[in-house]
Amino acid sequence: MIPAVVFEQTLRGFLSPVVTQLDDPSVTEVLINGPNDIFVERKGKLSRLEAKFKSADALMSALRVIAQYVGRPLDDAHPILEGRLPDGSRVEVLLPPVAPDGPSVAIRRFSKDKLTLAKLLEFGALTKDAVDTLNAFIACKQNIVVAGGTGSGKTSMLNALSALIPDGERIVVIEDARELQLKQDHVVQLEARPSDAKGKGAITIRDLFKATLRMRPDRIVLGEIRGGEALDLVQAMTSGHGGCLTTVHATYPIDTLNRLETMALMGGVELPLSALRAQLASAVDLIVQTARFRDGRRKVTHITEVVGVDPVHGYRLKDLFAFAPESSASG
């Protein structure tokens, strides 16, 4: 097996047009749209780089090295690659035919300085009362869903909340690609695996979740809910596994529950909608809604308690905190 340090040195050579950006702590995203079109994100804003790859072949060579490091196929039959680079950055690669204009790459970088609720308070992303509330909900082992759009800071918030889990508890973390950086004494990291070139050997998030329930977890941290594992998580939350943390793509708190509902229905279990909604309302205690604004700022816009469900009006929610823009306050 080739040592990771050798892969890293080799990959840096192949990615030389963007190495400076990958070393820049202010850069949160590197976006490569073919060999001649490269953008970076700083403080939530995109800018184009003058740097280019020498050719499409040079870019493809870099992507093949990434695929070799990740240990996953990348070719016409497997045009989508998801993984992480040696420095922990998350990478997503799309090739033709799914990207007809040429290879498209997104590299999401993570700060080496772990984000905490104290830092989020300092940045103005949430208030002192909100921090105290989140601390209390974590201490009481409430089930929390962090929701938001792409790039809104969901993973960063999940990291910050996970840091509040006390030592002495067994934490099982399940992710597609490892991103969370828990520092507690007893952490078990699990990572899904796609199928090999022959379409075999896949280990899904749902597979890992079912195995986790037999591993005596005190806390389950699920990096992101994307499908039928939503039903497994809801049933775990309602059967004694408190203190679960996860993220989901959703714009508002009510959308979060609606999306969880839809994904739970993908779980392959025939369940009356009224029964599913009752389980969801019982399972999820708190929704932490994140958002990225046009000026690049990321904030917590809602901390919402799930109160219950009404057979006529649906889910009953209570905003404990809601962000009020200055413009609306003054207008």
Side-chain angles (χ1 to χ4, degrees), residues 22-179:
L22 293 176
D23 290 338
D24 185 346
S26 70
V27 172
T28 52
E29 200 113 27
V30 177
L31 305 171
I32 304 170
N33 308 325
N36 303 318
D37 209 12
I38 304 173
F39 292 81
V40 296
E41 181 192 64
R42 289 185 179 89
K43 297 181 179 180
K45 294 186 177 181
L46 292 174
S47 60
R48 186 191 294 269
L49 293 182
E50 294 184 2
K52 300 178 181 180
F53 285 84
K54 291 182 179 180
S55 64
D57 288 340
L59 175 56
M60 275 305 305
S61 295
L63 301 183
R64 291 190 186 99
V65 174
I66 293 174
Q68 187 179 4
Y69 173 74
V70 173
R72 297 174 181 175
L74 182 65
D75 50 37
D76 290 346
H78 305 86
I80 301 176
L81 173 71
E82 181 175 315
R84 64 177 187 273
L85 300 182
D87 67 354
S89 299
R90 187 180 70 195
V91 61
E92 188 82 17
V93 178
L94 302 177
L95 297 184
V98 298
D101 293 332
S104 181
V105 186
I107 301 174
R108 170 73 61 83
R109 302 188 64 253
F110 299 98
S111 173
K112 294 182 179 179
D113 295 327
K114 189 174 180 181
L115 193 63
T116 63
L117 290 185
K119 289 183 179 178
L120 290 171
L121 175 60
E122 182 182 335
F123 298 155
L126 71 177
T127 66
K128 177 64 166 60
D129 287 344
V131 169
D132 293 340
T133 298
L134 292 173
N135 267 293
F137 269 82
I138 293 290
C140 294
K141 296 193 73 170
Q142 301 294 285
N143 298 314
I144 300 177
V145 177
V146 179
T150 300
S152 64
K154 295 188 300 299
T155 301
S156 296
M157 175 56 69
L158 186 61
N159 249 325
L161 292 175
S162 300
L164 301 177
I165 299 174
D167 279 323
E169 296 191 24
R170 177 174 167 86
I171 308 167
V172 180
V173 181
I174 307 171
E175 298 178 272
D176 268 323
R178 187 170 176 174
E179 298 177 22

Side-chain angles (χ1 to χ4, degrees), residues 206 210 227-235 260-277 279:
R206 199 168 188 189
K210 290 178 179 179
E229 66 273 8
L231 179 61
D232 301 313
L233 181 62
V234 166
Q235 292 180 337
L260 287 172
E261 184 180 295
T262 300
M263 289 187 288
L265 291 171
M266 297 164 57
V269 176
E270 293 187 8
L271 192 67
L273 187 57
S274 58
L276 175 58
R277 287 179 173 172
Q279 283 198 32

Side-chain angles (χ1 to χ4, degrees), residues 269-302:
V269 176
E270 293 187 8
L271 192 67
L273 187 57
S274 58
L276 175 58
R277 287 179 173 172
Q279 283 198 32
L280 264 170
S282 175
V284 179
D285 296 304
L286 198 70
I287 298 169
V288 179
Q289 190 74 45
T290 62
R292 179 175 62 176
F293 294 88
R294 291 183 179 180
D295 61 3
R297 290 179 303 154
R298 293 176 173 87
K299 285 187 176 292
V300 175
T301 58
H302 298 79

Side-chain angles (χ1 to χ4, degrees), residues 147-149 152 154 248-257 259 289-290:
S152 64
K154 295 188 300 299
V248 66
H249 280 267
T251 307
Y252 294 102
I254 187 61
D255 297 334
T256 300
L257 293 175
R259 283 219 67 205
Q289 190 74 45
T290 62

Side-chain angles (χ1 to χ4, degrees), residues 165-328:
I165 299 174
D167 279 323
E169 296 191 24
R170 177 174 167 86
I171 308 167
V172 180
V173 181
I174 307 171
E175 298 178 272
D176 268 323
R178 187 170 176 174
E179 298 177 22
L180 298 176
Q181 308 163 32
L182 276 70
K183 303 298 183 183
Q184 285 88 341
D185 293 334
H186 197 164
V187 178
V188 179
Q189 296 270 178
L190 303 178
E191 191 172 31
R193 183 181 71 188
S195 58
D196 59 19
K198 297 181 181 179
K200 299 179 179 180
I203 305 294
T204 67
I205 290 289
R206 199 168 188 189
D207 293 333
L208 293 175
F209 190 87
K210 290 178 179 179
T212 293
L213 298 180
R214 301 181 180 91
M215 294 181 66
R216 195 215 166 274
D218 290 312
R219 305 264 187 165
I220 300 173
V221 180
L222 181 57
E224 181 180 345
I225 299 178
R226 297 182 179 180
E229 66 273 8
L231 179 61
D232 301 313
L233 181 62
V234 166
Q235 292 180 337
M237 287 175 168
T238 56
S239 61
H241 291 280
C244 294
L245 299 172
T246 189
T247 73
V248 66
H249 280 267
T251 307
Y252 294 102
I254 187 61
D255 297 334
T256 300
L257 293 175
N258 290 334
R259 283 219 67 205
L260 287 172
E261 184 180 295
T262 300
M263 289 187 288
L265 291 171
M266 297 164 57
V269 176
E270 293 187 8
L271 192 67
L273 187 57
S274 58
L276 175 58
R277 287 179 173 172
Q279 283 198 32
L280 264 170
S282 175
V284 179
D285 296 304
L286 198 70
I287 298 169
V288 179
Q289 190 74 45
T290 62
R292 179 175 62 176
F293 294 88
R294 291 183 179 180
D295 61 3
R297 290 179 303 154
R298 293 176 173 87
K299 285 187 176 292
V300 175
T301 58
H302 298 79
I303 298 179
T304 302
E305 187 176 8
V306 181
V307 178
V309 65
D310 183 277
V312 177
H313 300 100
Y315 297 108
R316 292 188 293 122
L317 306 178
K318 178 183 178 182
D319 288 339
L320 304 181
F321 299 91
F323 173 67
E326 294 180 6
S327 56
S328 63

